[in-house]
Structures are given as C-alpha cells and as structure tokens.
Amino acid sequence: MIADSGRLLLVEDDLTLGKMVDDFLTGHGYRVRWESNGLRALGLIDSETFDALILDIGLPGMDGIQICRSVRDSFGGPIIMLTARGDEIDEVVCLEVGADDYITKPVRPRALLARLKVHLRRGDPQAHQTESSRLEIEGLVVDSTSRTVRLKTESGEENILNVTTAEFDLLLFLMQRAGEVVGRSEIYEQIQGIGYDGVDRSIDLRVSRLRKKLEDDPSNPKRIKSVRGVGYIFAVES
Ligand code: CA
C-alpha cells in the first residue's frame, strides 16, 4: 500500500495531459481530484479540502489565473500553475496573483512531482519543529511552529496576517537574517530549492505582496528594504 501524500486538485482541460498527470501523481500516493472546468473547480475549492492546487491557465468556465486570484487569500497551500513554454507574461502574472510556482508545458510529470514535494514540505509544520518558534521584530511576530504572522497594533493587540506558505517562508528567512543583506540568489535557492537563473522575478513579486500585507510603504519600506542589484534586507532599528 502506498502512503497518503496528500489531496490535490488538478484543473486541466487537456484530457491526455490531465490523465497522464492524474495517473502519475496517483501512482505516487496522492489523492487526485481532476476537474476540467474552471468554474466547477472554484466550487470544489470552496467546498472541499485540498493540500495543493495544480491549475492550467486556459480553461473553460474560468481561467487558471482568475481561479488563483480568487482563492489565493483563502487557500493557504501551494498553488502550482501550468504555463505555455516561453510565455513570460503568463509566468509573471501567475506569480503576481500569488501562485507559488509554475511548470512550463510540455509538463514533465517528474518535474511537477519534485516541485510539488518541495512546496508541500514547506507547508508542513512538522518539518519546521527544530527551529525556534517565535521571532519578533518591531511588532511583527512570526511563529514558525504555528506558521502564523501577527502584526501588533499601537494598542498592543495582535492582528493575524493572511500570508501564503511561500510568503511565510520568505519572511521567516529574511527575519532570521535581520540586519543583514541577503542576496537574491541565496533567497532563491533557500526558498525555491533550486538554483537562481538571474531572471526569475518570483522573489521580487513575493516581497511586494508581503510589503502590502505588512502595511509597509512600497516607495519607502521600513521593514523589507531593497538593496539595488543585490537583494533584500530586513531592517532593524538602532
Ligand atoms: Ca488548457
């Protein structure tokens, strides 16, 4: 018997590709729900529980970008998009709407599986238990055991921020290195688990989404500052 690796929603209207991915991932212990219509997929995400979503972009009913945009704030697990090869606009848009990753077509199932494992592992609190659990800088509290981010108000209340798994990991990584300039390639390798190719904008897009959530002014950020041509620094006063 194969161990249960998690429950996935695969949204793909290409029957050959959908069947191949469904069979492959099922063979690797995932429970796969395969849906070909975007609108029906949205209904499933609302009514059922999934550990990760794999979304094609061009779909009947509702496209993958719209699905990602509408569920991103409520769905905390990884979202992986399937994009046409070489379509950089799609790739950028995917990350802008909060997808964690994308795989270019033709989809190589092994590559998809590898990315899926990386993203699911990051979302698993068990995998993070050895790290110290609570980090607080200037009223921003990150708890790596419960994987929550809280922002303290002036009156001392703590508001829980809604961040994705990928945003959480990036924020935690920068805060653990607070006061230190961290290179984009180092962040990339740490977060994505693969080498940096010098063009991927996913880290930059994630930082800009995080700034918004942290209520940090993008034109003059107080917390996550850009270091031109190098990377980022999580700023500390003093
Ligand atoms: Ca399609």
Side-chain angles (χ1 to χ4, degrees), residues 168-210:
F168 180 90
D169 287 339
L170 174 58
L171 180 62
L172 179 64
F173 183 57
L174 290 174
M175 284 178 76
Q176 283 169 336
R177 304 274 297 268
E180 204 181 310
V181 176
V182 189
R184 200 174 264 106
S185 59
E186 196 183 337
I187 298 172
Y188 196 85
E189 274 162 35
Q190 172 74 22
I191 303 296
Q192 303 288 84
I194 50 173
Y196 179 58
D197 62 8
V199 289
D200 191 291
R201 290 185 57 214
S202 58
I203 302 295
D204 300 332
L205 291 164
R206 219 158 270 160
V207 165
S208 76
R209 287 174 63 88
L210 265 175

Side-chain angles (χ1 to χ4, degrees), residues 12-13 56 58 105:
E12 173 58 71
D13 63 323
D56 183 27
K105 290 183 180 180

Side-chain angles (χ1 to χ4, degrees), residues 78-143:
I79 300 180
I80 298 176
M81 311 290 295
L82 306 179
T83 65
R85 178 170 292 282
D87 192 335
E88 285 173 25
I89 295 173
D90 271 358
E91 292 168 1
V92 169
V93 172
C94 283
L95 299 168
E96 274 173 351
V97 295
D100 295 277
D101 210 343
Y102 55 79
I103 297 281
T104 51
K105 290 183 180 180
V107 174
R108 290 176 301 129
R110 282 194 186 283
L112 174 60
L113 176 66
R115 305 307 304 146
L116 195 57
K117 280 185 176 167
V118 167
H119 289 289
L120 284 170
R121 200 184 309 127
R122 289 189 320 174
D124 179 6
Q126 302 269 323
H128 297 264
Q129 271 183 353
T130 51
E131 295 163 16
S132 72
S133 80
R134 193 179 152 107
L135 202 57
E136 177 172 349
I137 299 173
E138 317 280 342
L140 180 65
V141 184
V142 168
D143 188 315

